[in-house]
Amino acid sequence: MNEKELQHFEDKITQEIRIEPKDWMPDDYRKMLIRQISQHAHSEIVGMLPEANWITRAPSLKRKAILLAKVQDEAGHGLYLYCAAETLNISREEMTDQLLSGQAKYSSIFNYPTLSWADMGAIGWLVDGAAIMNQVPLCRASYGPYARAMIRICKEESFHQRQGYEILLTLCRGSKEQKAMAQDALNRWWWPSLMMFGPNDDASPHSAQSMKWKIKRFSNDELRQKFVDVCKDQADILGIEIPDPDLKWNEERRHYDFGEINWEEFWSVIKGNGPCNKERLDARIKAHENGEWVREAALAHAEKRKRVAKEIINNK
Amino acid sequence: MNSEPLWEIFIRSKQGLDHKHVGSLHAADAKMAIENARDVYTRRMEGVSIWVVESKYIHSTNPDESESLFDPANDKVYRHPTFYELPDEVKYM
C-alpha cells in the first residue's frame, strides 16, 4: 500500500472532501461501498414486488396512479444506485448475477408478504420512514456518486412516506373494520421495520469502520431510537397502537424505551427463511429471463442501425 | 456477454440554464438512452432538454495531475477584482 496515498485519502475524509471515482482509495473502502450500494440497489428493485402485488387491486384510480408512481420511483432509485456502484468498477451484470444467485443480500423487510391494502399504508409510513431515517445521513456520505444518488432519492422518498401515512389516516377515520385493518398492518410491520436498522451496534461488524470512513454517520441503534421516537406520536395521531408493551417514555433519557427485537427472526430471514424469500428471488429471476429477448433485440436493432448508417455514408 | 453500453446523462432544468450532469444509465443506442433518461431522471419536471453521451467518449483529467493542472492558479490572486484596493470615494466600480 502506498503510505502517501493513504494519508492523502484519510486527510480528505477528515476534511470532508468527497472521494470521487478516479481518486485513489483503499481496497476495503471500495469493497465496503460496493457491498452497501449494491445491496441498497437490490433492495429498491426487490422492494417493488410487495407493492406491485396491490397495483391491480388499489381501491381507486387515484390510489392506483400514486402506487404506480411510487413503484416507478423505486425502479429509478435502484438505477441511480447501480450507476453509483458501477463507478467503483463493478459491472451491472456482476451485480445482477450476485442478486439472482442469492449471493448478494437485500433488505429483509421485503421478504414479508403484503396481505391487505392497509399494508400499502404501513409500508409507506414505516418502511419508507425507516429508509428515510437511514438515508438522509447518507446524503453526506464520503463517496461523491453515492451521496449524489442519495440526495436524489431522499427528495423523492418523502412523498412515499406521506402517501402511506395518508392511506392509514383514511382507514383510521373510516369504519371500524377499516381501522382494524390499519391496526393489523401496524402489528405485522412494526417489528420488521425496527429490524431494518440492522443488528445492535455491538453485533454490527462493519459499522465502526464505515463510520470512520464517514460512509455512515450514525450507528444502527441511534437511528432506530430516533425512528421509535418519531413513530410513537404519529401512531397516536392515527389512533392505533404500536404492538410493544414495553414502549414507554423515559423522562431521564428523553427517549422512548422499547422492547427487545426478536433477533432470531432477523437472522433467520437474512439467511433466507423469511415468508417470501424464495418468492421474491423467483420473481426477479423470471423477470430477468423473460427480459432476455428484449435486451437481445435492442442490441440487434442498435447494431442494424449502425450498419445502415455506415452504408449510407459509404454510398455517398 | 454483449451488453448495453453506459451513457452519461445531462439535463437542462429550464430554459436559460446549462445542461448539467445528473448520472448515467445503460441503453442499446442513443434513442433508447434518451427515452430511458426521460423516465429515470425527469419524472418530476426536472428537465426541458436532455443530452446523452456514450461514457467511453468522455475524456477527463487524471487526479494525479491535479496539482500541475490546477495549482498554478493559486498564486494569481491579481485575477480577482478584490486584489485591487481602491479609495472608498471611488463609486460604481
Side-chain angles (χ1 to χ4, degrees), chain A residues 70-86:
Chain A
K70 179 175 191 286
V71 172
Q72 196 191 8
D73 272 354
E74 274 144 20
H77 296 176
L79 291 176
Y80 303 156
L81 289 162
Y82 280 132
C83 287
E86 279 179 89

Side-chain angles (χ1 to χ4, degrees), chain A residues 64-161:
Chain A
K64 185 176 178 142
I66 292 171
L67 191 54
L68 271 171
K70 179 175 191 286
V71 172
Q72 196 191 8
D73 272 354
E74 274 144 20
H77 296 176
L79 291 176
Y80 303 156
L81 289 162
Y82 280 132
C83 287
E86 279 179 89
T87 64
L88 292 158
N89 290 338
I90 179 167
S91 73
R92 179 72 67 85
E93 285 80 13
E94 273 175 89
M95 286 187 277
T96 306
D97 285 347
Q98 287 174 356
L99 172 65
L100 300 184
S101 68
Q103 187 195 333
K105 300 283 177 230
Y106 54 86
S107 179
S108 43
I109 192 86
F110 302 117
N111 291 316
Y112 290 85
T114 44
L115 305 178
S116 83
W117 171 252
D119 288 10
M120 296 304 98
I123 286 181
W125 173 36
L126 298 173
V127 176
D128 291 301
I132 291 172
M133 209 56 99
N134 262 324
Q135 289 169 359
V136 168
L138 290 173
C139 295
R140 293 187 292 129
S142 55
Y143 187 58
Y146 189 29
R148 292 192 286 274
M150 290 316 307
I151 289 170
R152 301 187 75 84
I153 289 173
C154 285
K155 267 189 198 161
E156 302 183 348
E157 202 80 54
S158 168
F159 130 65
H160 297 184
Q161 192 188 18

Side-chain angles (χ1 to χ4, degrees), chain B residues 54-66:
Chain B
E54 221 183 305
S55 307
K56 67 177 179 190
Y57 293 120
I58 294 202
H59 300 265
S60 71
T61 55
N62 185 335
D64 296 341
E65 295 163 359
S66 288

Side-chain angles (χ1 to χ4, degrees), chain A residues 240-308:
Chain A
I240 49 182
E241 237 173 275
I242 291 176
D244 179 357
D246 297 323
L247 184 79
K248 60 172 185 293
W249 180 251
N250 182 327
E251 185 57 38
E252 202 178 311
R253 290 201 309 126
R254 309 288 303 160
H255 287 296
Y256 280 97
D257 289 335
F258 56 98
E260 187 62 28
I261 288 169
N262 182 348
W263 293 112
E264 217 170 290
E265 176 182 328
F266 172 79
W267 292 113
S268 163
V269 178
I270 285 190
K271 283 185 189 120
N273 305 317
C276 300
N277 292 59
K278 186 173 177 324
E279 187 184 329
R280 302 292 183 236
L281 214 50
D282 285 350
R284 285 314 312 158
I285 291 169
K286 193 173 150 215
H288 190 69
E289 285 173 355
N290 288 349
E292 182 69 47
W293 72 270
V294 180
R295 293 190 295 276
E296 271 176 25
L299 283 171
H301 182 66
E303 273 308 308
K304 188 177 131 193
R305 280 165 57 111
K306 250 187 241 166
R307 212 169 48 234
V308 171

